[in-house]
Each structure stands twice: as structure tokens, then as C-alpha cells.
Amino acid sequence: MTGLRRVVVIGAGIMGAACARALAQDGHQVTVLERGAVAGQTSSHCEGNLLVSDKGPGMELELAKAARARWPQVAAELAAELGEPLGDIEFEPKGGLVVATTEAGGAALTGFAAEQRGAGIDAEALDVASTRRLEPYLRPDCTAAVWYPQDAQLQPTIAAEALLASARLAGASVHIGTEVLGPVLDSGGALTGVLTPGGTFPADLVVNAAGPWSGDVARRMGVPLPVLPRRGMVLVTSRMPQKVFHKVYDGDYFGTTQSADSGLQTSTVVESTPAGTVLIGSSRQRIGFTESFEVDVLAELARKAIELFPVLAGMSLLRSYGGFRPYLPDHLPVIGLDPRLPGLAHVTGHEGAGIGLSVISAELLADQVAGRAPAIGTDAFQVTRPSLSEHLNGEPR
């Protein structure tokens, strides 16, 4: 699909902002429609991870590797375009440390790291002394530890705002408080725009980047897409002298990211922020868009964090927050044009990896639209892929 001029992007979180930037920089007339506020949902309710350490060999890992190579360049581009302070997205290539606390967990972590090394990931098994040098306040009896220097972090809300500001510099416009109600079709059934309460927005291409609400947007556009919300909770401590120096998490994290279980799952993720607070995660559960405060989930996160870093036992909590991540049943995002409705594209379904994978996903879409060779293969991310086909009829499960 080439020669497009008018593009409507649905959603002004980091995924929509990245899509708007990539497409506007390609010369398209981009309009972003957001029913709430910029970065008002998932992008402001998460940790800002850019991880390779939690992904096994396969296409999601290839996407993460491409993202890790691209983000330092994007951070520099945004700083040059926007200046201080908006251009500083707090990109930190601080690395990640994955640990196990049982013999079985240690064997599993060591084996997983070996598979990743075979896929080109720098995964260094550490002895006790090396682990303590990296994280002196970590519990001393870990059974295995693997160092991932490629892991990084950025501030997700700031990054979304910066990407959108960059898109505006390239000519994009943004309409907040504007909900998409459905498609505008011509007499032949071709997509020519979207309908909102304030009127229609003409478009040659409509990009569904609505995160956990992408399934609802797809239904409104007349095609099923089995995106479901998966809720995650995070604790934030009060400011403290730095006791955690990298992103540290237990080896159970990978299993929770790949599980299809709708029930509550928790694993330990602990990291510091430039502000001096400590972020503690993570939980996953599919409970729809329920926003109720769940003390038992937060208590479980706190307990596991203290087991990993006993020094946290004396810290007070500043706040907690929860957010919804866009879950797809085969654990791969959808990135690309939808042949069921020509003129519609989706960039969604990244679940908890969406912050880190946003820019590369947007650029892969822009490549498809322009007819350029993409940085990596995209067949695995198409809505027509076999692993998703059984879920495209009826309601998502």
C-alpha cells in the first residue's frame, strides 16, 4: 500500500504516538484520535521496560533485539528535535539481573539463558561474588544469576509525550476527547474514514493502536480481533538511598509472561528510578477492565520483593497503581495491514512489552505501508497468521 496521504491513528498512548511519528515522518497527513488524554492509560501505568532477558528464541525476541538497537538512536533523535526537558525520555541502558532462589529454578534459568545465547543474546552466568558486586543488597543465597547487559528502561509517559511532540513537528495533529464510533465506508464497502461524535475524519489508512481497547475498536470497525485486557499492579516506595542498581527479577517472570492462565500470577521485579523510588512488580491477571483495589495482590508483591531484597522491609510505600496490557492468546503482537478490511491496520497485542517494542513496531508498519523492506520479517505478526486464526471468529476467550 503506497501513495497514502491521510492517516488516522486511534490511540495516543506510546504505541499510537510511535505510529504517528513514523508515518508523519514518511510524509503522510496524520491525525491522532484519543478518547481520553495523551498517555492516560497503559502508558502511564507501567514500568517502562525494554527487555530481551524475558523472551525465548523466536520472533518476539527478534523484535526486542531490533527495538534495543533502535531506542538509543530514537532517544538521541528526540533530544535533538525537542531539547530539554521534553526530549529527555530517561533512557537507561542499565542492564538486568535475573536470579533464582531454588535448585529447580536455578537449573531452569541456566538452561533458558543458554537458549538465548544461541539466539544472539548476551546472557552471562554469574557466580555469587559477581552477583553481589552488581547488587550488594540482594539476598545472599540465590541458586543462579544471569546478567543481561542489553536490558534497559525508559520513562513511558515522557517517552509517549515526546514521540507525539515529534509527530507534531512532522505535521501530525492530535484530537483528545475524541472517541471513534465506527468506520466510514464508501458504496463499495471500502474504508474511507472514521466516525466520531463530532463528525467524520477522512482517511486512506486507519491504524488501530488502542492498546487493551483494540479489540473493541476492531469490533466497531467490523472485524474481530481477540485482544483482551490483562491487569498488572505495581508498588512504588518512598525515596531512599539507592539500594537497587539494576533491573532485578526472579526466574518465574518468563513463565508468567507466556502463561494463558486468566488467574492471578505474580513474579518479582525490583528496580530503582532516577527519582530515588523503587518500583516493585509484577502481577498478571485477566479480570476484564476491573479497577478495584486488591490488597492481597499488593501484599503478595511486597512479600516477594522483601524476600529478594530484605533491605526493603523497612521502607514505606508511596503509592500503588494498576494498568491494563493488551493480551493476545498466542503471545505475539499484531503489526500490519488487515486484509479483511482494506485500509485498516493494527499495531497492538504486545502485552507488558509494548513500551519497549513501540518504536520498532511502528516503523515496521510504516515499512509495510511504504512498500519498504522491513528491518525484520513480519509474517509472524500479521493478523492472518495460523496461530491466531482459530481466535478470529466470535468473542475472544
Side-chain angles (χ1 to χ4, degrees):
M1 179 180 291
T2 59
L4 293 173
R5 296 302 300 169
R6 300 170 302 175
V7 179
V8 165
V9 176
I10 304 173
I14 197 168
M15 200 64 67
C19 289
R21 180 179 190 259
L23 291 164
Q25 289 185 338
D26 266 359
H28 302 298
Q29 297 174 355
V30 176
T31 302
V32 180
L33 304 181
E34 167 58 55
R35 69 177 181 179
V38 171
Q41 291 292 334
T42 302
S43 296
S44 59
H45 293 78
C46 59
E47 296 159 291
N49 292 332
L50 172 49
L51 304 182
V52 298
S53 57
D54 66 338
K55 298 169 181 65
M59 285 309 299
E60 188 184 23
L61 180 58
E62 295 305 307
L63 189 65
K65 287 162 61 178
R68 180 60 180 83
R70 187 72 181 100
W71 264 113
Q73 300 167 352
V74 172
E77 292 166 7
L78 293 173
E81 291 174 23
L82 305 174
E84 296 286 351
L86 184 57
D88 181 6
I89 61 172
E90 298 181 12
F91 176 75
E92 291 185 272
K94 62 184 179 180
L97 182 66
V98 186
V99 300
T101 57
T102 65
E103 293 300 329
L109 173 57
T110 301
F112 181 64
E115 293 177 358
Q116 289 179 300
R117 284 192 291 272
I121 297 302
D122 189 353
E124 180 186 354
L126 301 182
D127 58 22
V128 173
S130 297
T131 302
R132 296 291 286 178
R133 280 195 293 270
L134 285 175
E135 293 291 343
Y137 296 95
L138 183 69
R139 62 182 288 177
D141 58 344
C142 293
T143 56
V146 180
W147 168 242
Y148 290 90
Q150 293 162 291
D151 279 358
Q153 183 182 12
L154 52 88
Q155 213 294 335
T157 304
I158 295 173
E161 292 172 341
L163 289 167
L164 204 55
S166 176
R168 285 191 175 105
L169 288 178
S173 62
V174 181
H175 298 257
I176 62 172
T178 304
E179 183 174 6
V180 172
L181 302 177
V184 176
L185 307 175
D186 65 15
S187 58
L191 182 62
T192 61
V194 296
L195 176 66
T196 75
T200 62
F201 286 83
D204 304 297
L205 175 68
V206 176
V207 181
N208 176 12
W213 294 269
S214 295
D216 181 55
V217 168
R219 283 190 292 274
R220 294 184 184 196
M221 300 300 289
V223 295
L225 189 68
V227 175
L228 292 170
R230 203 175 190 192
R231 190 185 188 194
M233 300 292 293
V234 176
L235 294 172
V236 185
T237 72
S238 57
R239 297 178 67 181
M240 59 186 288
Q242 190 168 12
K243 305 293 185 183
V244 183
F245 298 91
H246 307 87
K247 185 183 297 291
V248 182
Y249 64 89
D250 68 49
D252 293 335
Y253 184 80
F254 174 74
T256 65
T257 65
Q258 299 301 303
S259 172
D261 192 339
S262 62
L264 173 65
Q265 299 170 75
T266 60
S267 57
T268 310
V269 183
V270 184
E271 63 188 305
S272 301
T273 71
T277 61
V278 174
L279 303 181
I280 298 170
S282 69
S283 67
R284 283 175 167 80
Q285 56 188 149
R286 290 199 348 243
I287 53 174
F289 285 104
T290 301
E291 296 185 353
S292 59
F293 185 81
E294 297 188 53
V295 175
D296 57 335
V297 176
L298 301 179
E300 179 75 357
L301 295 179
R303 181 185 66 79
K304 287 190 170 183
I306 291 170
E307 287 182 356
L308 207 58
F309 281 93
V311 70
L312 295 176
M315 293 305 302
S316 59
L317 291 175
L318 182 65
R319 63 189 178 100
S320 66
Y321 58 86
F324 301 104
R325 291 81 166 102
Y327 165 90
L328 277 167
D330 63 354
H331 303 287
L332 284 174
V334 170
I335 307 168
L337 304 170
D338 192 331
R340 300 171 299 174
L341 181 58
L344 177 65
H346 309 284
V347 185
T348 187
H350 301 74
E351 202 177 324
I355 300 300
L357 301 181
S358 57
V359 164
I360 191 64
S361 297
E363 292 177 351
L364 290 179
L365 174 66
D367 288 339
Q368 293 178 56
V369 171
R372 293 188 297 261
I376 62 172
T378 61
D379 288 352
F381 308 123
Q382 300 307 309
V383 71
T384 54
R385 62 185 184 250
S387 59
L388 204 57
S389 60
E390 66 176 293
H391 303 281
L392 295 181
N393 297 314
E395 293 298 311
R397 298 189 295 275

